[in-house]
Amino acid sequence: RGAAMTDAQKPWLTVIGIGDDGLDGLPEKTRALIASAEILVGGDRHQEMVPDFAGERLTWKNGMAETAEDLRKSKGRRVVVLASGDPMFFGVGSTLTRFFDAREMTVIPFPGTFSMACARMVWSMPDTELITLHGRPLDSLNLVIAPGVRTVILSWDGETPSRVAALLRERGFGPSRMTVFEHMGGVRENRRTGTAADWAGDICADLNAIAVEFIAGPDAEPLSRAPGLPDDAYENDGQLTKRAVRAATLSALAPLPGQTLWDVGAGCGSVAIEWMRVHHSCKAVAIEESAERAAMIERNAANLGVPRLTIVQGKAPDALSGLDAPDAVFVGGGVSEPDMLETCWAALIPGGRMVANAVTVEGEQRLHDFQKVHGGEMLRIGLERMAPIGGHSGWQAARTVTQWTGIKR
């Protein structure tokens, strides 16, 4: 049996989605909730949609935490928050759940940007990539660019469509078809169409969404979301887990949605980046001692669509102190460092996975000693590549990699 709801947990905070047509687009019951509120919360644009409100008004402040604290002081009163479209889809409703118990909230959605754009394009929503660039880096789009993919993008401002078109041209996807919707659902609704290649630099309305069908040009180099990207997809100085070994490493790490990886001795960041490319909710921390390589990791992460990658510049294991406990750890460099493996293993959550690679005899012996204590599996990965030998071809062996994998029971 569930616990009884206390008075403090009963809904007092109502989040209402509203469209560009304001109160006219809301049902009578929803308009009544707004009219009967004691406090109305929203941005300037939303506040202007309710000109005759008789209660108190609270406009969002720069920091959500500060506004949330003001709301917490109003607990027990009738508080209504106005949000654009569907509050739980990249909206303020999702943000408020970080500050308030879900049992304190009531959410009333409105058709949001994504549903309206897909309806106007006659696209199936489950088959469309839904992306927000509102307050997020443009580089996030790099993750989903692939031939035949359809996406709807929530823009940050009126310059976003031109910036998206420029990015697509840069990546060889100039033929991609773009449709920009301005002020959807309101009397000022407008549609602009074109291709990324010929998109003019006009400034659109700040309230806009972009529907894109990606079409590859002859110079495009699409990248798979599967682990094992080509080595030349990364800027590197030689400190790179090579493609085949990287694919085997990611397979052993077994990324799952919502989980966090530590990539210790990250080099150019390839393992952390490909961990995050598996699913949009995957998180990773790349720990790298070299400042030059840390900057390189940042560039690679942006180019490959995961600019949210956290980079910690410092020498492990000391640099691991204070980080949130990981679901998985990859030690790609420094396995012979004193206490490196023990520190990573101690930080790992129960049930977490740890993978460590070594290419030296000393590193291999360190992994073997660690396995004697903690169990797990040892694997040797030997690769040969065809290379020219005079006027003929032959096989050239790469350095053998010893890999240890363990699960913390």
Side-chain angles (χ1 to χ4, degrees), residues 163-185:
R163 294 174 63 216
V164 167
L167 177 64
L168 293 176
R169 292 193 296 268
E170 179 184 326
R171 300 199 70 96
F173 280 77
S176 300
R177 290 189 285 268
M178 294 177 54
T179 302
V180 174
F181 296 100
E182 300 170 299
H183 295 290
M184 273 194 299

Side-chain angles (χ1 to χ4, degrees), residues 213-250:
E213 185 172 0
F214 296 124
I215 300 174
D219 299 328
E221 296 181 359
L223 295 175
S224 171
R225 296 278 287 272
L229 292 178
D231 292 345
D232 61 10
Y234 294 94
E235 176 188 351
N236 70 88
D237 60 0
Q239 290 298 311
L240 168 70
T241 302
K242 298 300 190 290
R243 181 176 192 170
V245 176
R246 192 183 333 124
T249 299
L250 267 295

Side-chain angles (χ1 to χ4, degrees), residues 14 16-18 22-23 26-40 50 53-55 78 80-82:
T14 302
I16 295 176
I18 192 167
L23 294 177
L26 299 179
E28 182 178 346
K29 183 182 292 186
T30 305
R31 293 200 301 269
L33 284 173
I34 296 173
S36 64
E38 297 176 73
I39 302 174
L40 185 65
V50 193
F53 182 70
R78 295 188 303 277
V80 167
V81 176
L82 296 180

Side-chain angles (χ1 to χ4, degrees), residues 339-388:
D339 297 324
M340 175 73 83
L341 298 177
E342 288 78 7
T343 301
C344 292
W345 186 256
L348 194 64
I349 68 166
R353 288 95 56 206
M354 182 164 145
V355 176
N357 291 352
V359 294
T360 66
V361 173
E362 292 79 8
E364 181 177 275
Q365 184 60 54
R366 183 75 179 88
L367 293 180
H368 187 220
D369 292 341
F370 194 75
Q371 188 219 21
K372 290 178 183 178
V373 178
H374 299 285
E377 295 182 341
M378 296 281 284
L379 179 71
R380 297 192 76 190
I381 305 172
L383 298 171
E384 295 182 353
R385 291 184 174 86
M386 188 174 289

Side-chain angles (χ1 to χ4, degrees), residues 45-331:
R45 185 173 69 88
H46 293 134
Q47 295 281 8
E48 290 169 2
M49 293 177 175
V50 193
D52 299 326
F53 182 70
E56 298 177 30
R57 293 180 185 266
L58 177 61
T59 303
W60 294 118
K61 298 179 180 177
N62 291 332
M64 175 61 76
E66 187 177 349
T67 304
E69 184 57 35
D70 289 339
L71 291 176
R72 189 170 285 109
K73 296 174 183 176
S74 304
K75 183 179 291 188
R77 303 178 68 186
R78 295 188 303 277
V79 179
V80 167
V81 176
L82 296 180
S84 296
D86 187 341
M88 303 308 293
F89 205 153
F90 296 129
V92 72
S94 303
T95 304
L96 287 172
T97 60
R98 302 205 303 262
F99 300 95
F100 301 100
D101 191 296
R103 291 173 291 182
E104 299 176 77
M105 298 172 58
T106 300
V107 178
I108 302 174
F110 186 84
T113 297
F114 298 107
S115 58
M116 287 194 288
C118 285
R120 283 154 176 72
M121 296 298 296
V122 197
W123 288 355
S124 163
M125 281 189 69
D127 299 321
T128 302
E129 292 280 357
L130 306 175
I131 305 293
T132 180
L133 295 179
H134 194 79
R136 302 190 186 191
L138 179 68
D139 295 321
S140 304
L141 189 59
N142 287 327
L143 183 62
V144 300
I145 298 175
V149 170
R150 291 170 168 175
T151 183
V152 173
I153 303 164
L154 180 62
S155 289
W156 172 245
D157 58 21
E159 296 183 5
T160 304
S162 292
R163 294 174 63 216
V164 167
L167 177 64
L168 293 176
R169 292 193 296 268
E170 179 184 326
R171 300 199 70 96
F173 280 77
S176 300
R177 290 189 285 268
M178 294 177 54
T179 302
V180 174
F181 296 100
E182 300 170 299
H183 295 290
M184 273 194 299
V187 296
R188 295 177 292 170
E189 181 167 332
N190 184 49
R191 175 189 297 214
R192 306 186 188 204
T193 60
T195 66
D198 60 16
W199 194 265
D202 296 343
I203 304 299
C204 299
D206 283 339
L207 191 63
N208 77 80
I210 315 164
V212 186
E213 185 172 0
F214 296 124
I215 300 174
D219 299 328
E221 296 181 359
L223 295 175
S224 171
R225 296 278 287 272
L229 292 178
D231 292 345
D232 61 10
Y234 294 94
E235 176 188 351
N236 70 88
D237 60 0
Q239 290 298 311
L240 168 70
T241 302
K242 298 300 190 290
R243 181 176 192 170
V245 176
R246 192 183 333 124
T249 299
L250 267 295
S251 175
L253 287 167
L256 293 172
Q259 293 195 338
T260 298
L261 168 77
W262 284 0
D263 184 356
V264 182
C268 69
S270 62
V271 171
I273 288 169
E274 294 192 24
W275 169 281
M276 292 184 67
R277 283 174 60 87
V278 168
H279 192 268
H280 66 85
S281 66
C282 287
K283 297 179 282 292
V285 181
I287 300 96
E288 172 55 51
E289 181 179 5
S290 163
E292 291 77 11
R293 287 178 185 156
M296 190 186 303
I297 293 171
E298 185 175 12
R299 293 191 294 271
N300 283 329
N303 185 53
L304 293 168
V306 290
R308 296 181 299 108
L309 172 64
T310 299
I311 301 168
V312 174
Q313 186 195 334
K315 184 176 176 59
D318 293 342
L320 306 177
S321 177
L323 299 179
D324 291 340
D327 302 278
V329 177
F330 171 57
V331 184

